[in-house]
Amino acid sequence: MISIRNLSKTYGDAEGGHRALDDVTLDIGRGDIFGILGSSGAGKSTLVRCINLLETPTSGTISIDGVDVTGYAGRDLARLRGSVGMIFQNFSLFQQRTVLRNVTFPLELVGMPKPERDRRALELLDVVGLSGLSERYPSQLSGGQQQRVAIARALANRAKIMLCDEATSALDTKTTVSILELLRKINREMGVTIVIITHALTVAESVCNRIAVIDGGRIVEQGTTEELFANPQSQALRELIENSRQVHGRAFPAPDQEGC
Ligand SMILES: Nc1ncnc2c1ncn2[C@@H]1O[C@H](COP(=O)(O)OP(=O)(O)OP(=O)(O)O)[C@@H](O)[C@H]1O
Ligand SMILES: [Mg+2]
Protein backbone atom coordinates (compact mmCIF):
# COMPACT_ATOMS: atom_id res chain seq x y z
CA MET A 1 0.00 0.00 0.00
CA ILE A 2 2.85 2.39 0.86
CA SER A 3 5.96 1.76 -1.24
CA ILE A 4 9.02 3.78 -0.37
CA ARG A 5 11.88 3.46 -2.85
CA ASN A 6 15.46 4.72 -2.44
CA LEU A 7 14.27 7.61 -0.32
CA SER A 8 16.87 10.12 0.86
CA LYS A 9 16.44 13.38 2.70
CA THR A 10 19.19 15.90 3.32
CA TYR A 11 18.45 18.92 5.48
CA GLY A 12 20.30 22.04 4.36
CA ASP A 13 22.39 22.09 1.20
CA ALA A 14 24.03 18.98 -0.19
CA GLU A 15 27.56 19.94 0.99
CA GLY A 16 27.07 21.24 4.52
CA GLY A 17 23.74 19.47 5.03
CA HIS A 18 22.71 16.62 7.24
CA ARG A 19 21.61 13.38 5.58
CA ALA A 20 18.68 12.33 7.77
CA LEU A 21 17.49 9.53 5.44
CA ASP A 22 19.83 7.47 3.31
CA ASP A 23 18.41 5.26 0.54
CA VAL A 24 15.41 3.93 2.45
CA THR A 25 13.37 1.24 0.71
CA LEU A 26 10.33 -0.07 2.59
CA ASP A 27 6.90 -1.58 1.91
CA ILE A 28 4.02 -1.09 4.32
CA GLY A 29 1.07 -3.38 3.55
CA ARG A 30 -2.63 -2.54 3.61
CA GLY A 31 -3.99 -3.25 7.08
CA ASP A 32 -0.57 -3.34 8.73
CA ILE A 33 0.15 -1.79 12.09
CA PHE A 34 3.72 -1.03 11.15
CA GLY A 35 6.29 0.04 13.75
CA ILE A 36 9.29 2.27 13.10
CA LEU A 37 11.85 1.77 15.85
CA GLY A 38 15.13 3.61 16.34
CA SER A 39 17.08 5.74 18.75
CA SER A 40 16.78 9.52 18.99
CA GLY A 41 17.94 11.26 15.80
CA ALA A 42 17.80 8.04 13.75
CA GLY A 43 15.44 9.61 11.22
CA LYS A 44 12.05 8.17 12.29
CA SER A 45 10.07 11.43 12.19
CA THR A 46 11.71 12.48 8.94
CA LEU A 47 10.73 9.18 7.33
CA VAL A 48 7.13 9.37 8.43
CA ARG A 49 6.81 13.07 7.55
CA CYS A 50 7.94 12.21 4.02
CA ILE A 51 4.96 9.83 3.63
CA ASN A 52 2.48 12.73 3.75
CA LEU A 53 5.01 15.14 2.22
CA LEU A 54 5.31 17.32 5.33
CA GLU A 55 8.97 16.95 4.36
CA THR A 56 10.04 17.03 0.72
CA PRO A 57 12.29 14.08 -0.13
CA THR A 58 15.65 14.97 -1.65
CA SER A 59 15.50 11.87 -3.88
CA GLY A 60 13.55 8.63 -4.19
CA THR A 61 9.82 7.98 -4.46
CA ILE A 62 6.77 7.34 -2.32
CA SER A 63 3.82 5.52 -3.87
CA ILE A 64 0.45 4.95 -2.26
CA ASP A 65 -1.73 2.25 -3.79
CA GLY A 66 0.57 2.20 -6.81
CA VAL A 67 0.40 5.95 -7.44
CA ASP A 68 3.62 7.95 -7.17
CA VAL A 69 2.73 10.89 -4.89
CA THR A 70 6.26 12.28 -4.50
CA GLY A 71 5.74 15.33 -6.71
CA TYR A 72 2.23 16.17 -5.48
CA ALA A 73 1.32 19.85 -4.98
CA GLY A 74 -1.84 21.95 -4.76
CA ARG A 75 -5.11 19.99 -4.81
CA ASP A 76 -3.41 16.60 -5.14
CA LEU A 77 -1.35 17.34 -2.05
CA ALA A 78 -4.43 18.49 -0.12
CA ARG A 79 -6.22 15.26 -1.07
CA LEU A 80 -3.20 13.21 -0.01
CA ARG A 81 -3.09 14.94 3.38
CA GLY A 82 -6.79 14.15 3.84
CA SER A 83 -6.24 10.46 3.18
CA VAL A 84 -3.19 10.28 5.45
CA GLY A 85 -4.02 11.40 9.01
CA MET A 86 -1.31 12.16 11.54
CA ILE A 87 -1.12 12.39 15.31
CA PHE A 88 1.71 13.66 17.50
CA GLN A 89 3.12 13.38 21.00
CA ASN A 90 1.84 16.86 21.97
CA PHE A 91 -1.66 16.32 20.41
CA SER A 92 -1.43 19.61 18.40
CA LEU A 93 -5.06 20.57 18.98
CA PHE A 94 -6.45 24.06 18.33
CA GLN A 95 -6.82 25.47 21.84
CA GLN A 96 -9.39 28.12 20.84
CA ARG A 97 -11.71 25.57 19.24
CA THR A 98 -14.07 23.18 20.98
CA VAL A 99 -13.59 19.44 20.61
CA LEU A 100 -16.28 19.36 17.92
CA ARG A 101 -14.66 22.25 15.99
CA ASN A 102 -11.26 20.56 16.17
CA VAL A 103 -12.70 17.48 14.49
CA THR A 104 -14.69 19.46 11.91
CA PHE A 105 -11.63 21.55 10.95
CA PRO A 106 -10.36 19.30 8.10
CA LEU A 107 -13.93 19.02 6.83
CA GLU A 108 -14.25 22.83 6.74
CA LEU A 109 -11.11 22.89 4.60
CA VAL A 110 -12.71 20.65 1.98
CA GLY A 111 -15.95 22.67 2.03
CA MET A 112 -18.27 20.08 3.58
CA PRO A 113 -21.59 21.73 4.60
CA LYS A 114 -21.96 22.39 8.35
CA PRO A 115 -24.76 19.91 9.18
CA GLU A 116 -22.89 17.12 7.41
CA ARG A 117 -19.53 17.87 9.02
CA ASP A 118 -21.07 18.16 12.48
CA ARG A 119 -22.77 14.81 11.98
CA ARG A 120 -19.52 13.20 10.80
CA ALA A 121 -17.55 14.70 13.73
CA LEU A 122 -20.10 13.48 16.28
CA GLU A 123 -19.93 9.99 14.76
CA LEU A 124 -16.14 10.02 15.10
CA LEU A 125 -16.26 11.32 18.66
CA ASP A 126 -18.46 8.34 19.41
CA VAL A 127 -15.90 5.98 17.79
CA VAL A 128 -13.08 7.38 19.96
CA GLY A 129 -15.20 7.24 23.12
CA LEU A 130 -15.76 10.96 23.67
CA SER A 131 -19.52 11.29 23.20
CA GLY A 132 -20.79 14.08 25.42
CA LEU A 133 -17.53 16.07 25.45
CA SER A 134 -17.98 17.82 22.10
CA GLU A 135 -18.43 21.33 23.55
CA ARG A 136 -15.38 21.24 25.84
CA TYR A 137 -12.10 22.94 25.00
CA PRO A 138 -8.81 20.97 24.85
CA SER A 139 -7.63 22.52 28.15
CA GLN A 140 -10.63 20.90 29.83
CA LEU A 141 -9.56 17.38 28.81
CA SER A 142 -7.00 14.86 30.06
CA GLY A 143 -4.02 13.99 27.86
CA GLY A 144 -5.61 10.71 26.79
CA GLN A 145 -8.86 12.47 25.90
CA GLN A 146 -6.93 15.08 23.90
CA GLN A 147 -5.18 12.34 21.94
CA ARG A 148 -8.59 10.80 21.20
CA VAL A 149 -9.73 14.14 19.76
CA ALA A 150 -6.57 14.22 17.62
CA ILE A 151 -7.31 10.68 16.40
CA ALA A 152 -10.90 11.66 15.49
CA ARG A 153 -9.58 14.72 13.64
CA ALA A 154 -6.99 12.61 11.78
CA LEU A 155 -9.76 10.28 10.60
CA ALA A 156 -12.25 13.02 9.64
CA ASN A 157 -11.54 12.90 5.91
CA ARG A 158 -11.91 9.11 5.92
CA ALA A 159 -8.16 8.60 6.14
CA LYS A 160 -6.96 5.21 4.99
CA ILE A 161 -3.54 5.67 6.61
CA MET A 162 -2.73 7.04 10.04
CA LEU A 163 0.78 8.13 11.03
CA CYS A 164 1.52 8.24 14.77
CA ASP A 165 4.71 10.04 15.85
CA GLU A 166 5.39 9.05 19.48
CA ALA A 167 1.65 9.39 20.03
CA THR A 168 1.69 7.77 23.46
CA SER A 169 4.99 9.18 24.76
CA ALA A 170 3.33 11.91 26.83
CA LEU A 171 0.77 9.58 28.39
CA ASP A 172 0.84 7.42 31.50
CA THR A 173 0.89 3.65 31.16
CA LYS A 174 -2.81 3.00 31.64
CA THR A 175 -3.75 5.71 29.15
CA THR A 176 -1.15 4.38 26.69
CA VAL A 177 -2.76 0.95 26.83
CA SER A 178 -6.21 2.43 26.15
CA ILE A 179 -4.96 4.53 23.20
CA LEU A 180 -3.21 1.48 21.71
CA GLU A 181 -6.45 -0.46 22.10
CA LEU A 182 -8.29 2.33 20.23
CA LEU A 183 -5.70 2.25 17.42
CA ARG A 184 -6.17 -1.52 17.14
CA LYS A 185 -9.94 -1.05 16.91
CA ILE A 186 -9.57 1.60 14.18
CA ASN A 187 -7.23 -0.71 12.27
CA ARG A 188 -9.55 -3.69 12.61
CA GLU A 189 -12.95 -2.09 12.17
CA MET A 190 -12.18 0.79 9.79
CA GLY A 191 -9.39 -0.90 7.83
CA VAL A 192 -6.97 1.95 8.51
CA THR A 193 -3.29 1.15 7.94
CA ILE A 194 -1.32 2.50 10.89
CA VAL A 195 2.35 3.52 11.07
CA ILE A 196 3.64 3.91 14.62
CA ILE A 197 6.92 5.59 15.52
CA THR A 198 8.00 4.66 18.99
CA HIS A 199 11.07 4.32 21.13
CA ALA A 200 9.14 2.08 23.55
CA LEU A 201 9.69 -1.58 22.75
CA THR A 202 6.55 -2.57 24.63
CA VAL A 203 4.41 -0.37 22.38
CA ALA A 204 5.93 -1.91 19.26
CA GLU A 205 5.65 -5.41 20.64
CA SER A 206 2.06 -5.10 21.78
CA VAL A 207 0.44 -3.57 18.67
CA CYS A 208 2.68 -3.87 15.59
CA ASN A 209 2.55 -6.82 13.21
CA ARG A 210 5.66 -5.66 11.34
CA ILE A 211 8.59 -3.48 12.36
CA ALA A 212 11.47 -1.69 10.65
CA VAL A 213 14.50 -0.55 12.62
CA ILE A 214 16.18 2.65 11.46
CA ASP A 215 19.69 3.75 12.42
CA GLY A 216 21.62 6.72 11.06
CA GLY A 217 18.96 7.25 8.39
CA ARG A 218 19.13 3.67 7.07
CA ILE A 219 16.81 0.72 7.54
CA VAL A 220 19.01 -1.83 9.26
CA GLU A 221 16.45 -4.55 9.92
CA GLN A 222 12.81 -5.33 9.20
CA GLY A 223 10.40 -8.22 9.60
CA THR A 224 7.49 -9.49 11.65
CA THR A 225 7.43 -8.41 15.29
CA GLU A 226 7.96 -11.98 16.49
CA GLU A 227 10.95 -12.54 14.20
CA LEU A 228 12.66 -9.32 15.20
CA PHE A 229 12.30 -9.69 18.92
CA ALA A 230 13.09 -13.42 18.89
CA ASN A 231 16.27 -12.95 16.89
CA PRO A 232 17.46 -9.33 16.64
CA GLN A 233 20.13 -8.99 13.95
CA SER A 234 21.15 -5.34 14.00
CA GLN A 235 23.34 -3.60 16.51
CA ALA A 236 20.67 -0.86 16.74
CA LEU A 237 17.89 -3.24 17.83
CA ARG A 238 20.19 -5.09 20.22
CA GLU A 239 21.06 -1.76 21.82
CA LEU A 240 17.41 -0.75 22.14
CA ILE A 241 16.69 -4.09 23.82
CA GLU A 242 19.71 -3.74 26.09
CA ASN A 243 18.71 -0.17 27.06
CA SER A 244 15.21 -1.36 27.84
CA ARG A 245 16.65 -4.14 29.99
CA GLN A 246 18.80 -1.67 31.92
CA VAL A 247 15.88 0.65 32.57
CA HIS A 248 13.32 -2.01 33.38
CA GLY A 249 15.37 -4.92 34.61
CA ARG A 250 14.37 -7.08 31.65
CA ALA A 251 14.03 -6.73 27.93
CA PHE A 252 10.30 -6.57 27.40
CA PRO A 253 8.44 -5.38 30.44
CA ALA A 254 4.70 -5.82 30.30
CA PRO A 255 2.90 -2.64 29.18
CA ASP A 256 1.92 -1.83 32.75
CA GLN A 257 5.57 -1.55 33.74
CA GLU A 258 6.80 0.95 31.22
CA GLY A 259 5.94 4.63 30.93
CA CYS A 260 5.70 4.44 27.14
N1 LIG B 1 14.28 20.62 10.11
C1 LIG B 1 15.50 20.08 10.29
N2 LIG B 1 16.62 20.74 9.92
C2 LIG B 1 17.85 20.18 10.07
N3 LIG B 1 18.06 18.97 10.60
C3 LIG B 1 16.99 18.26 11.00
C4 LIG B 1 15.65 18.78 10.87
N4 LIG B 1 14.78 17.86 11.36
C5 LIG B 1 15.55 16.83 11.77
N5 LIG B 1 16.86 17.06 11.55
C6 LIG B 1 17.98 16.16 11.86
O1 LIG B 1 17.77 14.95 11.15
C7 LIG B 1 18.09 13.82 11.97
C8 LIG B 1 16.87 12.92 12.09
O2 LIG B 1 15.88 13.63 12.82
P1 LIG B 1 14.46 13.00 13.16
O3 LIG B 1 13.67 14.07 13.81
O4 LIG B 1 13.90 12.36 11.95
O5 LIG B 1 14.88 11.87 14.22
P2 LIG B 1 13.98 10.94 15.14
O6 LIG B 1 14.42 9.54 14.90
O7 LIG B 1 12.55 11.25 14.93
O8 LIG B 1 14.45 11.37 16.61
P3 LIG B 1 13.59 11.50 18.00
O9 LIG B 1 13.40 10.09 18.49
O10 LIG B 1 14.50 12.27 18.89
O11 LIG B 1 12.31 12.19 17.68
C9 LIG B 1 18.58 14.38 13.30
O12 LIG B 1 19.99 14.41 13.28
C10 LIG B 1 18.01 15.78 13.33
O13 LIG B 1 18.86 16.65 14.05
MG1 LIG C 1 11.07 12.08 16.10
Side-chain angles (χ1 to χ4, degrees):
M1 164 172 225
I2 307 174
S3 294
I4 299 170
R5 292 288 171 274
N6 307 107
L7 189 74
S8 293
K9 169 72 184 177
T10 301
Y11 289 108
D13 57 35
E15 281 160 29
H18 177 79
R19 194 162 220 210
L21 291 180
D22 187 3
D23 201 24
V24 168
T25 289
L26 197 63
D27 284 306
I28 298 174
R30 182 184 297 277
D32 273 350
I33 302 186
F34 196 100
I36 313 267
L37 270 178
S39 61
S40 186
K44 305 181 296 296
S45 296
T46 304
L47 173 59
V48 161
R49 289 165 64 86
C50 282
I51 295 176
N52 61 356
L53 299 178
L54 279 179
E55 296 290 355
T56 310
T58 307
S59 60
T61 58
I62 294 148
S63 304
I64 297 182
D65 288 336
V67 178
D68 184 348
V69 302
T70 324
Y72 271 14
R75 276 198 178 174
D76 287 338
L77 182 59
R79 206 161 25 85
L80 173 73
R81 297 256 172 84
S83 65
V84 184
M86 187 158 187
I87 59 171
F88 304 89
Q89 178 172 354
N90 61 3
F91 321 129
S92 298
L93 298 177
F94 302 113
Q95 297 300 316
Q96 308 306 327
R97 284 178 163 246
T98 62
V99 164
L100 185 74
R101 298 281 158 247
N102 265 277
V103 181
T104 58
F105 180 75
L107 304 174
E108 291 168 32
L109 290 184
V110 297
M112 186 183 279
K114 187 172 184 309
E116 204 180 325
R117 65 181 192 241
D118 283 1
R119 195 168 51 241
R120 168 95 184 123
L122 288 170
E123 256 171 45
L124 282 165
L125 287 171
D126 192 33
V127 169
V128 301
L130 290 183
S131 303
L133 299 186
S134 62
E135 291 311 311
R136 290 219 195 153
Y137 286 85
S139 62
Q140 298 170 318
L141 299 177
S142 70
Q145 289 169 334
Q146 290 187 58
Q147 196 59 291
R148 285 169 187 268
V149 178
I151 291 170
R153 187 179 61 181
L155 293 171
N157 269 319
R158 303 194 184 278
K160 281 286 142 211
I161 298 170
M162 187 146 84
L163 309 174
C164 311
D165 192 346
E166 300 282 4
T168 55
S169 298
L171 304 174
D172 68 21
T173 310
K174 188 165 167 233
T175 313
T176 292
V177 170
S178 75
I179 293 290
L180 294 179
E181 187 46 50
L182 174 60
L183 292 177
R184 257 193 228 106
K185 174 174 128 175
I186 286 165
N187 170 260
R188 201 174 51 233
E189 294 177 9
M190 301 170 84
V192 176
T193 300
I194 298 183
V195 182
I196 293 185
I197 292 180
T198 181
H199 62 267
L201 295 184
T202 47
V203 169
E205 199 201 15
S206 66
V207 288
C208 298
N209 62 315
R210 292 186 67 81
I211 290 176
V213 182
I214 183 166
D215 187 33
R218 294 184 145 258
I219 302 293
V220 292
E221 185 166 1
Q222 59 174 305
T224 67
T225 306
E226 295 79 45
E227 278 164 11
L228 254 68
F229 284 140
N231 190 14
Q233 298 291 317
S234 65
Q235 182 66 16
L237 183 55
R238 289 208 196 100
E239 274 175 21
L240 286 171
I241 292 171
E242 182 53 30
N243 292 344
S244 180
R245 183 177 289 130
Q246 279 173 9
V247 172
H248 301 286
R250 58 195 177 95
F252 304 119
D256 65 352
Q257 288 180 285
E258 183 173 17
C260 304

